Each structure stands twice: as structure tokens, then as C-alpha cells.
Amino acid sequence: MFSISAVRVVFYFIALILQMHENLYIQISRYSQPLIIFFGTIGALINQILFRRREFLRKTSCSFYFRVSSFNDLLVLYIIVLTQWAHDQFNFDFKNRSHSLCKLHTYAMYCLYAISPYCTVLVCIDRFCRTSKSIRIRRLSTQRNAHRITFFVVSFIGLIYIHILFYFRLINSICNPINHSYYHFLGSFLMIFFCFLPPSLMFIFSCSTLILLRRRREKQLKQYNLRILPARHRRYHRHYQLIKILCLYIITNIICTLPFACLILIHVYYHQSNSRIRSYIKYSVLLCNVNYSTSFYLYTLHTPIYRRELFAWIRSMFY
């Protein structure tokens, strides 16, 4: 009798702790998600305006990738974040209404989450192409090629996530994977393609660009007898600034996405600790959503050329 009572007390305290976690999560979600949507919307709209305002920005491949990323951020904010907030606060989740909505919403969610990080990968590749010695590689950095590359990358993302349409369905009125084996695969898949691969590619191409810039600078210094022209110096300085901001964006991306991917893997391998890990996954999703509202504040505001364009746009509205 004593042992049965002790077990009941233990389970009662576990349930109480989980309930406290759930209540805390709902409170954090109530205030954080609208802020993410608000600041993310402002940043994405300003990015769209700035990258279209002047012809020299509008026609660059790098600006096109950022316009695509900003547009995708808006889709994430209003298709994913807003529906998550409605579910948390009002227990309204339309994807649980039918098998088709379950499959389509889950598929769209994972695809949209993936597009923005890979757009940043394309920005890093674009920086690398622009600094290459090869004329053929530099020619890849055009807006026409940017349209083609973006279409290919988005199509590729849609293709590699297509399995979600076949392995998600309503189970007890909740949209879930059809079995634990697929959930095991999905956890590993997200760790590789969502968490590990984008920042790794960003890091590789950013470091390669820095190496190319350093070698070219040393060559120019030797060529001009340790004197470098001011115009060239400003150009190198601008490239270095862009790479530094990209590195900051990489770090932010890792901080925002790594907890989510790790917790998914933990949930897969330690399925018996279901409830507690699920509550932690919810917190990690909030952190993951932050990544889709920071592009303007991390990149645009910290890049001198884009910051000058922002101030010029603000002055043009008042004068």
C-alpha cells in the first residue's frame, strides 16, 4: 500500500511539473510569437523595399536571394508562426481537421522552414563566385542565373521533403508520423538537411571567400609595392564586412535551429520520456521561429551599404 501511494505521489508531482511547463510555455508563446511576427514583418517588408529601391541593388544576384528569403520569412510568419500561436492560445489547429490538411500543412511547414537558410547559403556562394579568379565562375553571379538557381534549390527542397506527404496522417485526431520508424528517420533527416548542412555550407563558402580575398589583397599589396589604391581598399573592406555579417548570421542560425534538431533526435531515441521532451521541443520551436525575423536586423542594419540605403530611404520620405 505504501509503495502504491508513493508511486501515485511521484506521478502527481511529475504531472504537476509538466503542467507548470505547459503553463509557462503558453505564457511565453502568448507574448513572444506576436513580437516575432511584428518585428519580422517590418524587417521583411523593409528588405523588400531596400532591395528594389535602386537599380544597382535590384539587379544584383545577392539582393535577389535576400528578397526571396524575406518573402519566405513572411510566409513562415503567417503560415506557421501565426497558426502555432492560435493553437497555443485558443487550441485551434486546422491541420487536425483532415488527413489532407495534416499532410499539406506539415509538408509546407518543413519546406518553408528550410528555404530561408538555403537562401543564405546561396548568398555565401554568390560572394564566393564574385571573388573568384575564374571568369566562368564570376558569370554565375548574375540575376538571370540567380532566378534559375533559386528555382532549382526550391524545387530540390520540395522534392527531398516529399516523403512527409506519405508518412504523416491523423492519429487519434492529432497530426503525427504514421510510425516510430519514420519518426526516427525524420529526426536524422532534419539534423542533416535542416540543422547541419546549411550552416556548414555557409561556413565553407564564407571561409573560402575570405581566403580568396586575403590572397588577392596580398597580391595587390605586392603589385603596388605595399601601396593599395583607396578605391580597392574600400572594395575589400566592403567584402570583409559582408563576410563578417554572414558569419554572424551563421552563428545565429545555429543557435536557433540546433536545440530543435537535437531535441527531436532525443525524442526519437528516448521515446519513453515523451511528455517532458515534447514540452522542451515546444520551447525550441519558439527559438527556431526567431531565426525568421532577424535577417533585417542582423544583416541589413549591420551592412554599411544597405544601412546607407536605409537612411537615404528614410530621408526621402521626410524631404
Side-chain angles (χ1 to χ4, degrees), residues 250-266:
I250 293 168
I251 294 171
T252 305
N253 186 79
I254 293 173
I255 292 173
C256 289
T257 59
L258 185 61
F260 171 75
C262 290
L263 285 168
I264 288 290
L265 280 181
I266 293 172

Side-chain angles (χ1 to χ4, degrees), residues 22 28 32 37 39 69 72 83 118 129 131 133 138 146 150 153 166 177 179 195 208 230-231 247 261 281 311:
E22 185 68 21
I28 294 175
S32 64
I37 294 172
F39 286 107
S69 179
N72 185 74
T83 56
Y118 280 98
C129 292
T131 56
K133 293 181 179 179
R138 288 203 301 271
T150 303
V153 170
F166 302 98
N179 53 53
C195 180
S208 300
C247 290
I281 289 175
F311 292 152

